[in-house]
Amino acid sequence: MDNAQAIDALAALAQPTRMDTFKLLVSREPDGVASGELARRMEVPHNTMSSHLAVLTRAGLVRGERHSRVIIYRADLDRLRAVVLFLLKDCCGGRAELCAPLIADLSPCCAPEGRSDD
């Protein structure tokens, strides 16, 4: 991950409909959501949703997979992880004491399934 890739990802999420769409896709992992359902849930026209999904796809945050006549979109959690790690590593500049509180705040909400931080 480099600065340009991080900027692309953050810029894609800087628009409210795209942010809400991405959050919905994350919540629906691993099944994904059909493009038509996304448009209905976000209450935007299908062509507008297609434009938003294209921006998120170019930023690497979502992937679409065609199933017959329907495209199922899924959040790319590996890309999200890469963006967050890039920000933590780059912004903390190797000073672990700066990032420790951020990492601690992320840990309770984001523990992988089957693992507890107790």
Side-chain angles (χ1 to χ4, degrees), residues 27-114:
S27 75
R28 298 285 296 272
E29 277 298 307
D31 299 324
V33 182
S35 55
E37 183 182 344
L38 284 169
R40 282 188 299 280
R41 298 277 301 264
M42 295 298 120
E43 298 179 348
V44 298
H46 290 265
N47 61 338
T48 301
M49 180 52 66
S50 291
S51 296
H52 287 309
L53 290 167
V55 171
L56 290 166
T57 300
R58 280 192 302 274
L61 294 168
V62 302
R63 289 175 279 127
E65 185 177 306
R66 183 170 291 283
H67 292 268
S68 183
R69 296 177 59 193
V70 176
I71 300 176
I72 303 296
Y73 284 91
R74 295 187 56 221
D76 188 329
L77 299 179
D78 288 334
R79 180 61 159 215
L80 176 60
R81 184 179 301 108
V83 171
V84 171
L85 286 173
F86 172 80
L87 291 172
L88 285 173
K89 289 178 181 179
D90 192 61
C91 295
C92 294
R95 295 180 54 201
E97 71 278 7
L98 294 176
C99 291
L102 296 171
I103 294 168
D105 285 346
L106 291 173
S107 297
C109 74
C110 302
E113 201 170 295

Side-chain angles (χ1 to χ4, degrees), residues 1-10 86-87 90:
M1 169 91 26
D2 60 27
N3 279 347
Q5 292 170 321
I7 289 168
D8 287 346
L10 295 171
F86 172 80
L87 291 172
D90 192 61

